[in-house]
PDB file of all heavy atoms in Angstrom:
ATOM      1  N   HIS A 153     121.978  53.965  77.365  1.00  0.00           N
ATOM      2  CA  HIS A 153     123.115  53.197  77.923  1.00  0.00           C
ATOM      3  C   HIS A 153     122.675  52.529  79.212  1.00  0.00           C
ATOM      4  O   HIS A 153     122.851  53.061  80.326  1.00  0.00           O
ATOM      5  CB  HIS A 153     124.253  54.155  78.215  1.00  0.00           C
ATOM      6  CG  HIS A 153     124.723  54.971  77.057  1.00  0.00           C
ATOM      7  ND1 HIS A 153     125.657  54.513  76.115  1.00  0.00           N
ATOM      8  CD2 HIS A 153     124.394  56.225  76.576  1.00  0.00           C
ATOM      9  CE1 HIS A 153     125.888  55.368  75.230  1.00  0.00           C
ATOM     10  NE2 HIS A 153     125.116  56.460  75.467  1.00  0.00           N
ATOM     11  N   PRO A 154     122.077  51.353  79.040  1.00  0.00           N
ATOM     12  CA  PRO A 154     121.596  50.649  80.260  1.00  0.00           C
ATOM     13  C   PRO A 154     122.700  50.296  81.249  1.00  0.00           C
ATOM     14  O   PRO A 154     122.489  50.060  82.406  1.00  0.00           O
ATOM     15  CB  PRO A 154     120.973  49.373  79.689  1.00  0.00           C
ATOM     16  CG  PRO A 154     121.522  49.226  78.349  1.00  0.00           C
ATOM     17  CD  PRO A 154     121.815  50.543  77.863  1.00  0.00           C
ATOM     18  N   ALA A 155     123.986  50.241  80.741  1.00  0.00           N
ATOM     19  CA  ALA A 155     125.069  49.976  81.607  1.00  0.00           C
ATOM     20  C   ALA A 155     125.266  50.960  82.783  1.00  0.00           C
ATOM     21  O   ALA A 155     125.886  50.712  83.753  1.00  0.00           O
ATOM     22  CB  ALA A 155     126.400  49.915  80.782  1.00  0.00           C
ATOM     23  N   LEU A 156     124.593  52.137  82.609  1.00  0.00           N
ATOM     24  CA  LEU A 156     124.689  53.140  83.682  1.00  0.00           C
ATOM     25  C   LEU A 156     124.145  52.659  85.014  1.00  0.00           C
ATOM     26  O   LEU A 156     124.555  53.129  86.045  1.00  0.00           O
ATOM     27  CB  LEU A 156     123.981  54.430  83.288  1.00  0.00           C
ATOM     28  CG  LEU A 156     124.757  55.337  82.234  1.00  0.00           C
ATOM     29  CD1 LEU A 156     123.869  56.476  81.801  1.00  0.00           C
ATOM     30  CD2 LEU A 156     126.018  55.780  82.844  1.00  0.00           C
ATOM     31  N   VAL A 157     123.156  51.745  84.991  1.00  0.00           N
ATOM     32  CA  VAL A 157     122.519  51.342  86.178  1.00  0.00           C
ATOM     33  C   VAL A 157     123.017  49.943  86.616  1.00  0.00           C
ATOM     34  O   VAL A 157     122.529  49.365  87.586  1.00  0.00           O
ATOM     35  CB  VAL A 157     120.993  51.269  86.028  1.00  0.00           C
ATOM     36  CG1 VAL A 157     120.437  52.628  85.780  1.00  0.00           C
ATOM     37  CG2 VAL A 157     120.556  50.378  84.933  1.00  0.00           C
ATOM     38  N   LEU A 158     124.020  49.434  85.918  1.00  0.00           N
ATOM     39  CA  LEU A 158     124.606  48.151  86.235  1.00  0.00           C
ATOM     40  C   LEU A 158     125.725  48.346  87.259  1.00  0.00           C
ATOM     41  O   LEU A 158     126.615  49.112  86.965  1.00  0.00           O
ATOM     42  CB  LEU A 158     125.108  47.378  85.056  1.00  0.00           C
ATOM     43  CG  LEU A 158     124.007  47.070  83.950  1.00  0.00           C
ATOM     44  CD1 LEU A 158     124.623  46.349  82.783  1.00  0.00           C
ATOM     45  CD2 LEU A 158     122.900  46.239  84.547  1.00  0.00           C
ATOM     46  N   GLU A 159     125.715  47.601  88.326  1.00  0.00           N
ATOM     47  CA  GLU A 159     126.707  47.778  89.359  1.00  0.00           C
ATOM     48  C   GLU A 159     127.217  46.392  89.774  1.00  0.00           C
ATOM     49  O   GLU A 159     126.550  45.568  90.308  1.00  0.00           O
ATOM     50  CB  GLU A 159     126.050  48.467  90.578  1.00  0.00           C
ATOM     51  CG  GLU A 159     126.907  49.238  91.492  1.00  0.00           C
ATOM     52  CD  GLU A 159     127.845  50.256  90.780  1.00  0.00           C
ATOM     53  OE1 GLU A 159     127.403  51.034  89.959  1.00  0.00           O
ATOM     54  OE2 GLU A 159     129.060  50.189  91.062  1.00  0.00           O
ATOM     55  N   PRO A 160     128.512  46.067  89.388  1.00  0.00           N
ATOM     56  CA  PRO A 160     129.077  44.755  89.720  1.00  0.00           C
ATOM     57  C   PRO A 160     129.038  44.474  91.241  1.00  0.00           C
ATOM     58  O   PRO A 160     129.079  45.394  92.059  1.00  0.00           O
ATOM     59  CB  PRO A 160     130.526  44.834  89.188  1.00  0.00           C
ATOM     60  CG  PRO A 160     130.551  45.934  88.213  1.00  0.00           C
ATOM     61  CD  PRO A 160     129.488  46.947  88.709  1.00  0.00           C
ATOM     62  N   ASP A 161     128.956  43.202  91.569  1.00  0.00           N
ATOM     63  CA  ASP A 161     128.944  42.715  92.945  1.00  0.00           C
ATOM     64  C   ASP A 161     127.871  43.397  93.829  1.00  0.00           C
ATOM     65  O   ASP A 161     128.127  43.715  95.014  1.00  0.00           O
ATOM     66  CB  ASP A 161     130.358  42.966  93.510  1.00  0.00           C
ATOM     67  CG  ASP A 161     130.664  42.027  94.692  1.00  0.00           C
ATOM     68  OD1 ASP A 161     130.044  40.978  94.737  1.00  0.00           O
ATOM     69  OD2 ASP A 161     131.581  42.326  95.507  1.00  0.00           O
ATOM     70  N   THR A 162     126.698  43.701  93.250  1.00  0.00           N
ATOM     71  CA  THR A 162     125.647  44.354  93.958  1.00  0.00           C
ATOM     72  C   THR A 162     124.315  43.711  93.548  1.00  0.00           C
ATOM     73  O   THR A 162     124.132  43.453  92.350  1.00  0.00           O
ATOM     74  CB  THR A 162     125.581  45.878  93.607  1.00  0.00           C
ATOM     75  OG1 THR A 162     126.836  46.459  93.938  1.00  0.00           O
ATOM     76  CG2 THR A 162     124.476  46.552  94.372  1.00  0.00           C
ATOM     77  N   ILE A 163     123.437  43.440  94.478  1.00  0.00           N
ATOM     78  CA  ILE A 163     122.131  42.891  94.123  1.00  0.00           C
ATOM     79  C   ILE A 163     121.291  44.016  93.425  1.00  0.00           C
ATOM     80  O   ILE A 163     121.114  45.110  93.986  1.00  0.00           O
ATOM     81  CB  ILE A 163     121.428  42.355  95.391  1.00  0.00           C
ATOM     82  CG1 ILE A 163     122.164  41.205  96.010  1.00  0.00           C
ATOM     83  CG2 ILE A 163     119.941  42.024  95.116  1.00  0.00           C
ATOM     84  CD1 ILE A 163     121.600  40.672  97.249  1.00  0.00           C
ATOM     85  N   MET A 164     120.858  43.707  92.256  1.00  0.00           N
ATOM     86  CA  MET A 164     120.184  44.714  91.404  1.00  0.00           C
ATOM     87  C   MET A 164     118.675  44.732  91.572  1.00  0.00           C
ATOM     88  O   MET A 164     118.047  43.638  91.423  1.00  0.00           O
ATOM     89  CB  MET A 164     120.549  44.423  89.905  1.00  0.00           C
ATOM     90  CG  MET A 164     122.015  44.428  89.641  1.00  0.00           C
ATOM     91  SD  MET A 164     122.734  46.066  89.718  1.00  0.00           S
ATOM     92  CE  MET A 164     121.819  46.890  88.414  1.00  0.00           C
ATOM     93  N   ASP A 165     118.122  45.917  91.843  1.00  0.00           N
ATOM     94  CA  ASP A 165     116.686  46.092  91.782  1.00  0.00           C
ATOM     95  C   ASP A 165     116.287  46.826  90.553  1.00  0.00           C
ATOM     96  O   ASP A 165     115.134  46.778  90.113  1.00  0.00           O
ATOM     97  CB  ASP A 165     116.202  46.901  93.018  1.00  0.00           C
ATOM     98  CG  ASP A 165     116.323  46.107  94.328  1.00  0.00           C
ATOM     99  OD1 ASP A 165     115.876  44.882  94.272  1.00  0.00           O
ATOM    100  OD2 ASP A 165     116.691  46.577  95.363  1.00  0.00           O
ATOM    101  N   GLU A 166     117.262  47.622  90.017  1.00  0.00           N
ATOM    102  CA  GLU A 166     117.034  48.378  88.773  1.00  0.00           C
ATOM    103  C   GLU A 166     116.692  47.460  87.626  1.00  0.00           C
ATOM    104  O   GLU A 166     117.195  46.293  87.542  1.00  0.00           O
ATOM    105  CB  GLU A 166     118.225  49.254  88.439  1.00  0.00           C
ATOM    106  CG  GLU A 166     118.505  50.346  89.392  1.00  0.00           C
ATOM    107  CD  GLU A 166     117.766  51.618  89.018  1.00  0.00           C
ATOM    108  OE1 GLU A 166     116.926  51.503  88.074  1.00  0.00           O
ATOM    109  OE2 GLU A 166     118.074  52.695  89.592  1.00  0.00           O
ATOM    110  N   MET A 167     115.891  47.919  86.691  1.00  0.00           N
ATOM    111  CA  MET A 167     115.605  47.175  85.472  1.00  0.00           C
ATOM    112  C   MET A 167     115.065  45.797  85.750  1.00  0.00           C
ATOM    113  O   MET A 167     115.526  44.856  85.218  1.00  0.00           O
ATOM    114  CB  MET A 167     116.837  47.130  84.505  1.00  0.00           C
ATOM    115  CG  MET A 167     117.248  48.496  84.160  1.00  0.00           C
ATOM    116  SD  MET A 167     118.292  48.495  82.674  1.00  0.00           S
ATOM    117  CE  MET A 167     119.536  47.321  83.172  1.00  0.00           C
ATOM    118  N   SER A 168     114.179  45.673  86.723  1.00  0.00           N
ATOM    119  CA  SER A 168     113.676  44.401  87.069  1.00  0.00           C
ATOM    120  C   SER A 168     112.153  44.530  87.305  1.00  0.00           C
ATOM    121  O   SER A 168     111.632  45.581  87.237  1.00  0.00           O
ATOM    122  CB  SER A 168     114.366  43.867  88.305  1.00  0.00           C
ATOM    123  OG  SER A 168     114.044  42.494  88.538  1.00  0.00           O
ATOM    124  N   ILE A 169     111.535  43.401  87.606  1.00  0.00           N
ATOM    125  CA  ILE A 169     110.111  43.432  87.906  1.00  0.00           C
ATOM    126  C   ILE A 169     109.901  43.021  89.400  1.00  0.00           C
ATOM    127  O   ILE A 169     110.857  42.494  89.997  1.00  0.00           O
ATOM    128  CB  ILE A 169     109.324  42.447  86.957  1.00  0.00           C
ATOM    129  CG1 ILE A 169     109.813  41.045  87.152  1.00  0.00           C
ATOM    130  CG2 ILE A 169     109.455  42.853  85.565  1.00  0.00           C
ATOM    131  CD1 ILE A 169     109.009  39.953  86.443  1.00  0.00           C
TER     132      ILE A 169
END
Side-chain angles (χ1 to χ4, degrees):
H153 303 276
L156 284 174
V157 296
L158 298 182
E159 207 48 53
D161 205 20
T162 303
I163 294 177
M164 301 288 297
D165 289 317
E166 291 272 11
M167 299 197 308
S168 192
I169 61 175

